[in-house]
Amino acid sequence: MLPYGRQSIAESDVEAVTEVLRGDWLTKGPAVGAFESELARWTGGVPCVAVTSGTAALHVAYAAARVGPGDEVVTSPLTFVATAATAAMLGARVVFADVQPDTGNLDPGSAAALVTPRTRVVTAVDYAGHPADYDELRTVTDGAGALLMADAAHSIGSAYKGRPVGSLADLTTFSFFPTKTVTTAEGGAVAAADPERFLRAARFMNHGLIRDPAEQRHPGEGGWHQEVHTFGLNYRLPDVLCALGLSQLRRLRRFRARRAELVARYHLMLSDVPGLALPAQRAYVEPSWHLYPIRVRDGRRREVYDRMRAAGIGVQVNYLPAYLHPVFEDLGYRRGLCPVAEAYYAEELSLPLFPCLSDVQQERVAETLAGIMS
């Protein structure tokens, strides 16, 4: 089965991991700092803290934003459920705003209509690697006195109006799952320009521990002493995985270039196939394409999905609108809440896209799809 996404591991990655395994550090050591510093080069200098997954990054970022009971978080339903679930687990009420019909990104107009004095955060999702409309969303959050957050799990290396993802929002989260552009096997990161929010993120992902005597309530116990002032969790990304991530980041430009080349080829091969809508791209955006999301018209998505997979082509659907998961249904969310997102989901199909996808394999995907649609 040709997968819709997969990791691209080179010998340099293996050597980087092996070097750490032969050293003194497996958990939090020098490779963590090196990885965070290299990642900050891609965020325009905004500092980053590495964590154990993209989901952990969302949890840490919401905690750094002080999201809690009584707060509201406005976000897109067209995302993996963790974008909303992590806010709900902190006690917030999740408010789903609709998406733009072409990009699948959060619609600033829909978000603006839903913010209230209780809105703590508006979280955009860079669907498929295409950055959301951050200037318009910033106007929404500034008017509401809320923070702007970017779920950039798909979009590392992307730019919006010449500015890198990671510098566009108050908090940005990344994911390094194997299907993403860069992988640490499992892993994620949070970028935060504000020093206080960055410190809260760094502490939350490490149990809330405070080791500096100048900040402790009861210093003087001894060199071993550490304190917890606010609860946190263990979301530390270990040295061995950061070594893999650092090696991967050094190839990010090549990964992005190959994905862009594959997207251009899909555009060319599929532009005349009836019954399809191809992904949109704003003129002012430089995406890092994580997905190639087509829309299959005329109610044929299920048929095309089944026939493509029967042909050995592992297409995927991204995503069931988050509020249609039973956990949100049980909280009172209902179908029809975001009709544009539901319409997008009903037609969406992700074609295989990853750097080591060969031209021959891609041609097979396009030819098989064209044959089904003819």
Side-chain angles (χ1 to χ4, degrees), residues 3 17 22 54 58 67 77 84 91 132 147 161 168 184 218 235 258 274 282 286-287 333 339 344 358 365:
V17 171
R22 292 192 176 110
L58 289 160
V67 168
L147 295 178
K161 297 184 179 178
L168 303 167
T184 57
H218 305 290
Y235 282 148
R258 177 56 178 164
R282 302 278 191 261
E286 299 170 39
Y333 296 81
Y344 195 106
S358 71
V365 173

Side-chain angles (χ1 to χ4, degrees), residues 147-202:
L147 295 178
L148 178 58
M149 186 163 137
D151 180 343
H154 293 182
S155 62
I156 185 171
S158 296
Y160 167 84
K161 297 184 179 178
R163 290 142 38 210
V165 164
S167 68
L168 303 167
D170 298 303
L171 291 152
T172 303
T173 65
F174 297 102
S175 171
F176 307 119
F177 189 72
T179 57
K180 302 302 196 302
T181 304
V182 165
T183 188
T184 57
E186 288 278 7
V190 178
D194 178 79
E196 290 189 12
R197 281 192 285 270
F198 180 81
L199 181 60
R200 287 199 293 270

Side-chain angles (χ1 to χ4, degrees), residues 18 24 38 80 119 122 180 230 239 246 248 254 289:
T18 301
D24 296 326
E38 183 68 16
F80 185 62
T119 303
V122 174
K180 302 302 196 302
T230 58
D239 241 41
L246 180 59
Q248 289 262 305
R254 276 181 279 166
W289 291 106

